[in-house]
Amino acid sequence: MTRPARTKGIAASIGVGVGPARLAVRGRCGLTHRRIPNDEVAEEVSRFERAVAASRDEIELAKQELTQQHGSAYAPILDVYLLMHTDALLIDAIVDAIRNDKINAQWALGRVVERLKVPLLNSASSYFRERARDIDHVKEHLLRHLSGESRSEPPTSGPTILIAQDLTPADAVHMLAPPTVGLVTEMGGANSHTAILARTFGVPAVVGTGPLPVTVEQDEIIVVDGFSGEVTIGAPPEEQRAAEKRRDRFILFLQSERTTNAVTRDGVSISVAANIELPSEVEAAIANGAEGIGLYRTEFMCLDRSEPPSEEEQLELYRTVVTAVAPKTVVFRTFDWRGDKRLRADRPRKATSSPWGSTLRERERSWLKTQIRAVLRASTEGSVALMFPMVATLDELEDARSLVDACRGELEDDSARLASLPIGMMVEVPSAALLAEQFAAHADFFAVGTNDLVQYTLGLDRRDYRAASAANPLDPAVLRLLNQTIVAAGNAEIPCSMCGDMAADPIGLGLALGLGYRKVSVPVSVVPLVRAVIRNVDLTTATEAAAEALACTSSKEVRDLALGRFGKELGALW
Ligand code: PEP
Ligand code: MG
C-alpha cells in the first residue's frame, strides 16, 4: 500500500506528535440480534442491568482519574455520561424493549439509541450533533460490558500515536496519559469532549479526518501536526526526523517564551492575556505567561447542564480563578448561550440571535443576576472586570448596566456591594462597531470578538463548518469595523482588547497591532506563540501595512500585502 499516505482533519490540540501507531480497537463487539424466549427475559434484563452498573463504575473511575490529574473542573464532561446511565429515555426504554419485544439486550440497545439520535443528528447545531455522539459513546461502553470485552489498554511503553475511529471521553482519560504523544480520530470536532481532553492533557491532536485513506498498521510511523491538521501515515525516516525536530523546537520554544516579554521590535509593550473556557486552564495560562484572563467564557461551566450552577457554586469557582490570577485581572464574560453553547433545557427552542438585551427572558434574566452577584462577590478577592456578549444596541448596554446596579443593591456584604467592577462589552456585531463612538461613552472597556464579528459582517453561519472556515478577518469590511472600534475607544480613552481568533493568527495579529490594538487575549496554548510574533513585529511597518489594508478591496489582496510586509519579519515563526 502506498506510503506515505496523507490526510487532513481539524487541528484540535497544538504541537507535533511523532511515533508508532497504536490502534484503539473499536466495534469488535458488534450488535447481535437474537429473539429470546419468555423464560429468558428476566435474565436478559438482569444481564443488561449488570452491564449498566459495570459501565457506570468504569466511567466513575475515569472521573476520579481525571479529577486527580487535572482538578475537578473537567468532571462535568464525565458526569453527563454517568447521568445517561440513569436516563429513563435510554435505560428504561431498553429494558422495556427487552421485555415487550422479547429481543436480546444488544438489539434493544441499538434500536433505542438509533431512535434517540435521529432528532439530534437532524439538528443544524453542531452542539446537538455532538450530543448524538455522546449517546453513541454510552452505547459503546454498554456493548463492551454486555459482550464481556475489555477495553483497549494504554501502551506500557511509548511513545505512541493513538489512532481511533472515535474515542469516548472516559476512554480518552485512560488512553491520553503518557506515553501517548499524539491522537488522530476519524470522527469528532474541535469542541468535542475528546478534543477538549486532548488539549487538557497537552497531547497534539487532529480530529474529524473522516475515513483514513489507508488501513493503518500497528507500529507504523505517524506524524500528527496539531497546527495544520495534517496527518502522515508511514512517514519515511527523513520526514520523521524533520517532524521530531519541529516537535522539539516547539517544546523548547514554549519553555523559552514563558519568561520573555511581549514587546515589539520598536519597544512597545503589548498585553497578552489568555482566553479560558474552564477554571482548570488558569494554571496553564499563568505558566504560559499570560497577563491575566482577557475572556472567561463562563457558559462552558454549564456544559450539559439544564441550568447554571447556584450562586454559591459559581462564587467558589470564580474565587479560585480570581485569587489564582491576582493581582492580574480576570475579565468575566456573562453567559453567552447561543448556537452551540445552549443549555440542555433549551433544546426544544429554536436558536435565537442575541442571548440577552431586550429579548432577555425572565428566566435568563434571573440566571444572569445570579451570575453577576457571584462575580461581584468574587471581585473582592482580586482584580475583576465584567463584560456582556453580543451587545447590539445602546439600550442593551444600558439594561446591562442597570442589572449590575440592581445586583449590587441585593448584596448584603458591603465590600461586594461597593466593589470596583469595570463594565465592558464585546464588540462582535457590526452595529456595535458602527456605533462604537456612542457605545464608548457608556462602556468602561471594549473587547472585540472577531469570531462573531466576521460571521455577522460577512453573513456566514458560524455553526456551519464550511462557512466557518471561509470566514476571514482579513476582509477589508471587517478591518474597517475593527479600525472604527479602536479609534472610538482611543478617543474615549477606554481600553480596547481583541479577544477573537484573529489575534492568534500571525498576519491577523500584525494587522491588529498596525490598527492600534495594544491588548490581545488568545487561547492559552498560543500565548507563547503570540508573544513571539509580537517580538518580531515592527510597529511602523505594521501601521503602514494596516493603513494600506484598509484601502484594499479583498481579503486576498490584504493577505498578499501583509505577507509581503510581515513575511520577512516573522521568518521562522511563519
Ligand atoms: C468572538 O466572537 O470573537 C469571541 C471571542 O467570542 P466567542 O468565540 O466565545 O463567541
Ligand atoms: Mg462571540
Side-chain angles (χ1 to χ4, degrees):
M1 242 174 281
T2 332
R3 293 293 191 274
R6 300 179 201 279
T7 187
K8 198 161 178 194
I10 300 163
S13 174
I14 63 168
V16 178
V18 189
R22 177 181 162 79
L23 309 177
V25 185
R26 178 179 188 244
R28 275 175 300 172
C29 37
L31 288 174
T32 52
H33 297 94
R34 191 168 60 82
R35 294 213 175 267
I36 45 174
N38 263 338
D39 59 352
E40 279 182 28
V41 167
E43 171 47 26
E44 191 63 3
V45 170
S46 343
R47 190 171 78 87
F48 175 65
E49 286 169 348
R50 285 195 298 276
V52 173
S55 170
R56 209 174 36 220
D57 289 350
E58 184 182 48
I59 295 172
E60 192 62 66
L61 206 66
K63 183 177 151 185
Q64 281 166 22
E65 258 179 66
L66 184 61
T67 308
Q68 269 163 19
Q69 290 171 34
H70 298 282
S72 59
Y74 285 93
I77 292 180
L78 294 177
D79 279 340
V80 67
Y81 292 86
L82 289 172
L83 271 177
M84 276 194 240
H85 283 70
T86 52
D87 193 325
L89 285 176
L90 180 68
I91 304 300
D92 295 359
I94 294 167
V95 171
D96 287 349
I98 299 172
R99 286 209 176 106
N100 302 337
D101 304 337
K102 313 256 177 315
I103 54 178
N104 68 337
Q106 282 96 326
W107 190 351
L109 171 64
R111 192 185 271 185
V112 171
V113 162
E114 290 316 307
R115 199 176 55 221
L116 286 178
K117 276 168 46 186
V118 171
L120 295 170
L121 287 173
N122 287 337
S123 161
S125 159
S126 61
Y127 176 86
F128 290 140
R129 292 196 299 275
E130 280 293 337
R131 303 294 71 82
R133 291 181 60 244
D134 292 343
I135 301 180
D136 266 337
H137 290 154
V138 171
K139 174 174 118 183
E140 188 173 327
H141 279 275
L142 291 174
L143 273 181
R144 208 150 65 193
H145 288 285
L146 279 171
S147 61
E149 202 176 90
S150 55
R151 68 179 171 188
S152 295
E153 287 305 314
T156 45
S157 62
T160 53
I161 305 287
L162 188 61
I163 309 274
Q165 186 192 26
D166 196 7
L167 209 54
T168 74
D171 286 350
V173 171
H174 191 60
M175 308 282 289
L176 287 179
T180 299
V181 294
L183 170 71
V184 179
T185 62
E186 292 182 337
M187 297 170 78
N191 288 319
S192 63
H193 290 149
T194 301
I196 292 175
L197 288 170
R199 291 194 284 271
T200 305
F201 281 76
V203 172
V206 173
V207 300
T209 57
L212 293 173
V214 292
T215 308
V216 179
E217 305 290 339
Q218 195 83 14
D219 288 331
E220 67 175 318
I221 297 298
I222 309 287
V223 174
V224 182
D225 189 324
F227 299 101
S228 65
E230 277 157 25
V231 177
T232 309
I233 301 160
E238 66 279 12
E239 220 173 293
Q240 180 183 351
R241 278 193 298 276
E244 282 166 351
K245 269 197 193 147
R246 275 197 328 122
R247 174 197 63 196
D248 296 344
R249 217 169 53 208
F250 183 62
I251 293 170
L252 274 178
F253 165 76
L254 280 183
Q255 285 161 357
S256 65
E257 277 302 321
R258 283 181 179 153
T259 49
T260 47
N261 290 331
V263 177
T264 61
R265 276 191 185 184
D266 37 356
V268 177
S269 263
I270 307 295
S271 154
V272 183
N275 298 343
I276 60 166
E277 276 88 47
L278 292 165
S280 54
E281 290 173 278
V282 167
E283 203 184 316
I286 294 170
N288 279 357
E291 288 171 51
I293 304 300
L295 165 64
Y296 179 0
R297 292 182 165 105
T298 56
E299 63 277 5
F300 275 77
M301 83 174 71
C302 306
L303 207 69
D304 292 313
R305 297 177 67 117
S306 53
E307 58 177 50
S310 68
E311 183 174 328
E312 296 306 316
E313 282 173 290
Q314 287 185 51
L315 177 62
E316 199 184 316
L317 283 179
Y318 296 169
R319 272 195 179 135
T320 327
V321 174
V322 172
T323 43
V325 176
K328 292 172 182 141
T329 303
V330 180
V331 181
F332 284 83
R333 178 176 75 186
T334 58
F335 300 131
D336 183 11
W337 287 312
R338 286 164 305 121
D340 289 5
K341 299 183 287 192
R342 306 192 71 73
L343 290 173
R344 279 208 303 160
D346 277 351
R347 269 180 195 175
R349 281 205 310 143
K350 284 252 184 283
T352 52
S353 51
S354 173
W356 131 263
S358 51
T359 59
L360 200 64
R361 293 169 305 159
E362 268 322 298
R363 189 185 53 161
E364 285 181 0
R365 181 173 286 265
S366 106
W367 286 340
L368 198 46
K369 287 180 74 180
T370 305
Q371 179 176 38
I372 294 171
R373 282 194 302 271
V375 172
L376 275 165
R377 289 170 69 191
S379 70
T380 58
E381 310 283 331
S383 172
V384 171
L386 179 69
M387 68 179 174
F388 291 86
M390 298 300 289
V391 176
T393 67
L394 283 150
D395 284 348
E396 288 172 0
L397 181 57
E398 204 178 305
D399 197 8
R401 297 202 74 116
S402 51
L403 260 190
V404 178
D405 289 341
C407 290
R408 283 186 191 275
E410 288 164 10
L411 291 174
E412 281 164 17
D413 173 16
D414 273 354
S415 55
R417 193 151 40 88
L418 303 171
S420 137
L421 183 68
I423 308 294
M425 60 179 269
M426 295 213 46
V427 176
E428 53 182 348
V429 290
S431 63
L434 290 167
L435 287 190
E437 196 184 316
Q438 286 72 14
F439 279 108
H442 302 277
D444 297 328
F445 64 93
F446 284 162
V448 179
T450 52
N451 306 340
D452 277 306
L453 189 63
V454 170
Q455 305 289 323
Y456 286 103
T457 305
L458 302 179
L460 299 167
D461 182 350
R462 188 163 162 187
R463 289 168 298 161
D464 174 345
Y465 176 70
R466 278 155 310 172
S469 59
N472 199 333
L474 303 188
D475 192 284
V478 177
L479 294 182
R480 287 182 189 208
L481 293 175
L482 295 176
N483 187 47
Q484 202 161 325
T485 306
I486 191 77
V487 168
N491 290 341
E493 297 182 3
I494 62 167
C496 176
S497 70
M498 177 179 284
C499 59
D501 288 350
M502 176 176 175
D505 168 74
I507 290 193
L509 176 59
L511 287 172
L513 294 174
L515 288 173
Y517 287 81
R518 298 291 177 264
K519 285 164 84 75
V520 295
S521 189
V522 294
V524 171
S525 54
V526 294
V527 168
L529 268 175
V530 162
R531 294 155 73 87
V533 170
I534 289 168
R535 281 188 298 103
N536 283 276
V537 166
D538 174 72
L539 277 189
T540 314
T541 316
T543 308
E544 281 168 14
E548 276 185 57
L550 286 172
C552 287
T553 52
S554 72
S555 58
K556 180 171 181 319
E557 207 184 323
V558 173
R559 192 178 168 78
D560 290 347
L561 163 86
L563 271 176
R565 293 304 187 99
F566 300 128
K568 251 198 269 111
E569 288 188 0
L570 295 178
L573 286 170
W574 225 205

